[in-house]
Amino acid sequence: MANFSKSQVPQFSVDVYQNEFLPEGGREVNAIVTVTSTGGGTTGGIPLADAAPSPSYGAGQGPDAAVVLMVDCSGSMDYPPTKMRNARDATAAAIDTLREGTRFAVVAGTHVAKDVYPGNGRLAVADPRTKAQAKDALRKLSAGGGTAIGTWLRLADRLLNSADVSIRHGILLTDGRNEHESPEDLRAALESCAGRFTCDARGVGTDWEVKEVTGIAAALLGTADIVADPAGLAADFTRMMENAMGKEVADVALRLWTPVGVEIRFVKQVAPTVADLTARRTEANARAGDYPTGSWGDESRDYHVCVLVPEAGIGQEMLAARVSLILPDASGAGTPQTLSQGLVRAVWTDDMVASTSINPQVAHYTGQAELAQVIQQGLDARKSGDFDGATAKLGRAVQLASASGNQDTAKLLSKVVDVVDAATGTVRLKAKVAEADEMTLETRSTKTVRVKK
């Protein structure tokens, strides 16, 4: 990772929302931690209406970055023939969006991975000449062969880590299932790439596996989405690349320090999407652990932290956890930089009103996490023929989406169920559902809306 001076690092702030009051014997403490980064590039997560103005970068300005574009060139990309052409056009549009000075490469993915530009295990430096050469190389891409995504990711990892840069990012496009390697091979590739670069994954058409594409994005702290109509690829790739170019700082970790006797139940990102980080903890010292958050530009994200504290008597209070944003030292040997921090408290009271009221942020995001879960469960039940179970779960999803004002998810649900009464979650499964509609709902099920302030 390249060195950052303090002036180059965006300004981070941490705000903690919680009800710190517990009844006698109460142990569970919940807090929503809002992390906001300003003074970086373009927005990457939830846009900031009042963020600092974004700098406009010229050649050689902005953080050092490397991007590898992985394009599916398997045989299925020829059906229909416009799919491959759309993929080439989308990749060309993304290349046009590269900031000058960014290192980049293009990988053609089949049952093997080939770096088709610039080739020989190298990265090119973006300028008008190399962008034109890369687009020439794209025109020669044709479809043929199988799909082994783990090999694409491993080649991207080698290319990205050949450069001394601060931001490493992959963009992966696939239209099919990962049929030419085992699930274990893909899992091993993801484990070896995790923490080394971030990756956005896109499924084009409807012949790919949602859990594969969302699993890639989750493991590599990127975004996942469906582009059901290949004609929409160029706009989507341009947005993704603009987002990647807006990242200012990588490898930021959420560090959770807890006192002796406090157990961590979970740590989840809850906005702009739900992602459980609990199992991804790495120990920082005896009392603290780090949870990866990936790269940041101008954006804001919310995290739900839940801990169990030891029981205490009325009137007692304690620090239940300290949440810090940590930037590791570039050399790996020095002291990490603390970008910002916030405190989670516990206070025991006999005031029943204080101890039983749920903080609005905590209540909202608990509902959003449940919404993501019941959509997945409902769609799985529908696929397995359990129509009663599917109706119950998707009905609950409609109820939660309606109550939280998550209109995008409500719209997607209405393509899978007929809504009789949103408030009570009364629905009927539609007899016929377009595959693209079902896959879109599943892929976007983890997208959340923020609590209304």
Side-chain angles (χ1 to χ4, degrees), residues 265-322:
R265 284 203 58 202
F266 60 77
V267 177
K268 293 176 184 171
Q269 179 183 291
V270 287
T273 55
V274 176
D276 195 339
L277 303 176
T278 315
R280 303 188 67 170
R281 175 185 171 105
T282 53
E283 299 306 322
N285 56 50
R287 303 252 38 91
D290 291 348
Y291 301 85
T293 70
S295 304
W296 288 75
D298 269 7
E299 58 191 292
S300 183
R301 304 180 202 167
D302 292 335
Y303 298 87
H304 186 170
V305 173
C306 178
V307 297
L308 291 178
V309 294
E311 288 184 30
I314 299 300
Q316 290 193 268
E317 58 180 270
M318 71 175 288
L319 176 62
R322 184 171 63 237

Side-chain angles (χ1 to χ4, degrees), residues 22 92 135 143 168 206 235 306 333 388 391 419 446-447:
L22 296 175
K135 288 189 281 188
R168 295 185 181 91
T206 56
C306 178
D388 289 345
T391 304
V419 179
T446 58
K447 289 196 169 154

